[in-house]
Amino acid sequence: MVSRVIPVDSFDLVVFGGTGDLARRKIFPALYRRYVACQMPEDSCVIGAARTDYDTAEYRKVIGDAIREFGGSAAKEDKKLKEFLARVHYVKIDAKGSDGWSDLAGMVRKDLVNAFYFSVAPGLFAPLAERLHEHNIASQTSRIVVEKPFGRDLDSAKDLNGILARHFDEQQIYRIDHYLGKETVQNLMAVRFGNILFEPLWNSQYVDHIQITVAETVGVGGRGGYYDKSGAMRDMIQNHLMQLLCLIAMEPPSRFDPNGVRDEKVKVIKALEPVVPHHIVRGQYEATKTQPSYRDDAGDPKSRTESFVALKCNISNWRWAGTPFYLRTGKKLKARASEIAVVFKDAPHAIFGQEAGRHRNILVIRLQPNEGMTLGVTIKEPGPGGMRLIDVPLDMTFAEALGPEVADAADAYERLIMDVIRGDQTLFMRGDEVEAAWKWTDPVVQGITDRHDVPKPYRVGSTGPDDANLLMKRDGREWREIRE
Ligand code: NAD
């Protein structure tokens, strides 16, 4: 099966922070792959802008190396890479000073789509926005892309929104959460709203509970100092897991358009009840014989920041009252696996008797690895010997169903950057949405601080602290196994 490429208009994309980690690992490889997929019109350009003293030839070498390292199979085509690099330019710029701005002004073509990717620390958003206007580089049709973290609490998020709003309208601002660019996440909407099968069952009458797990095997490593100031609650729950929860729980928008979808997501966040203290479990990974503990990585032997969090939350609305949502995320866990599991209730009457066992339908949406969906259905175990029931998965792994090229092409950054060029904000967070998410997160974080809560230690390679399992057991439920 061949994927259909929807053309975009010619564009100039400026990547501020163009020598940084994100630009090299994600942004440029994504752009290159879109170029190979013939989605980057001939006269489009990408301009890297950063503090390093490169000329364009040196920069092209840096970007070429990055694409070879992180660009996947597409990066093996030397001819294509050369063609792509011819469209890459560089300008040395100081976000806080005057260096480079008039050069940039001479490079960005106003008659094309202009986008500015702020792949820099949030402290540089204000000076970048100011200078783009001062030098008459940005116009009313320009787009800016900003990365997480979008604030560290409600006040700082409001400040950032205020800074951007001084120079750009909300329709020009694209706040990236790359989880929303994942193929399966969008498929979740397609499955929910494109089929008649699921929506009638998508409520507390039929859904027992929903689990969202984002498990990582890596620790905080070199980012320890930065991570220690945020922790899993701010770094993962407030954004990625909250976004997934919104898509699972939201009402069908009347149209699949940016504000239709985002209005419904905001309503979900606003309906979230506060998390009570005994519904949250925090953890920190312990040292092994060969690996450092979280506290070692954080460089603070007394750190109380969590590298793991599991919590139960409730949504107060007609659809979900009575169906809990369990969220769990952590580092140095057993496997790298992100999934959403919708666990349906038991059939109302067990006609096959107790000996047939308890069987439940579970819809699993796997985000990584092996993006796809599985619906567990109950059938009769083949062979003689009575009515014994077993659960079998109806499996739709994208790589199997659609072919490896299509599954391979589904990189979140590729899709999101092309959405920016197209001017489609559906998969980006709106300012009020980010603020609503902080408004719910802040009291949870404050409560942890006020209680002087100490995270529970957990073994590297485990599923997190035992208390996380108790959180489920108390409700007569259990987490799904974490496996790749
Ligand atoms: P980085 O430290 O690797 O790169 C920072 C870039 O900013 C460099 O290109 C540097 O030259 C440039 N820069 C710094 N000060 C400057 C100045 N005064 N003028 C002009 N340029 C300046 O950072 P990164 O990891 O690439 O992250 C960039 C942003 O993306 C951050 O906000 C980060 O939180 C966010 N982010 C990064 C990742 C990731 O995987 N790296 C993931 C999600 C979000």
Side-chain angles (χ1 to χ4, degrees), residues 418-437:
M418 285 302 123
D419 280 358
V420 173
I421 305 300
R422 244 185 246 117
D424 183 347
Q425 290 184 303
T426 310
L427 299 175
F428 297 82
M429 293 177 294
R430 211 168 53 191
D432 58 338
E433 197 180 336
V434 175
E435 289 182 18

Side-chain angles (χ1 to χ4, degrees), residues 456-476:
K456 305 276 182 304
Y458 63 90
R459 269 185 308 107
V460 169
S462 69
T463 56
D466 291 342
D467 284 20
N469 296 328
L470 284 179
L471 179 74
M472 279 286 206
K473 271 204 187 118
R474 278 203 305 258
D475 294 347

Side-chain angles (χ1 to χ4, degrees), residues 253-266:
S254 56
R255 292 180 61 82
F256 188 68
D257 66 20
N259 279 333
V261 171
R262 297 185 304 175
D263 284 346
E264 296 306 334
K265 283 164 61 194
V266 174

Side-chain angles (χ1 to χ4, degrees), residues 58-88:
E58 287 166 323
Y59 186 61
R60 285 178 180 164
K61 176 155 187 338
V62 170
I63 295 303
D65 290 346
I67 291 172
R68 274 187 213 96
E69 189 173 352
F70 303 111
S73 54
K76 296 200 169 62
E77 293 185 49
D78 273 351
K79 184 168 162 280
K80 288 275 177 205
L81 185 53
K82 220 168 149 191
E83 285 168 13
F84 172 77
L85 290 174
R87 289 160 178 77
V88 173

Side-chain angles (χ1 to χ4, degrees), residues 305-323:
T305 304
E306 72 283 350
S307 58
F308 174 96
V309 66
L311 60 84
K312 172 182 172 181
C313 55
N314 295 298
I315 300 175
S316 293
N317 63 20
W318 273 47
R319 186 187 284 266
W320 294 117
T323 294

Side-chain angles (χ1 to χ4, degrees), residues 171-188:
Q171 301 89 277
Q172 298 180 272
I173 305 170
Y174 291 72
R175 296 176 193 79
I176 278 206
D177 183 326
H178 68 273
Y179 269 61
L180 293 183
K182 287 183 182 290
E183 190 71 30
T184 358
V185 171
Q186 291 167 75
N187 236 316
L188 173 60

Side-chain angles (χ1 to χ4, degrees), residues 17 19-22 25 50-51 93-95 119-121 124 147-149:
T19 57
D21 177 69
L22 186 69
R25 272 192 317 112
R51 271 190 310 192
I93 215 152
D94 180 6
S119 181
V120 293
L124 294 182
E147 273 286 342
K148 82 164 208 183

Side-chain angles (χ1 to χ4, degrees), residues 137-185:
I137 301 172
S139 68
Q140 284 189 328
T141 55
S142 303
R143 289 143 209 182
I144 58 162
V145 185
V146 292
E147 273 286 342
K148 82 164 208 183
F150 202 81
R152 65 182 320 276
D153 53 21
L154 178 58
D155 287 345
S156 54
K158 278 184 174 166
D159 286 349
L160 278 180
N161 276 337
I163 286 165
L164 298 181
R166 279 207 286 281
H167 301 284
F168 299 96
D169 292 338
E170 183 61 37
Q171 301 89 277
Q172 298 180 272
I173 305 170
Y174 291 72
R175 296 176 193 79
I176 278 206
D177 183 326
H178 68 273
Y179 269 61
L180 293 183
K182 287 183 182 290
E183 190 71 30
T184 358
V185 171

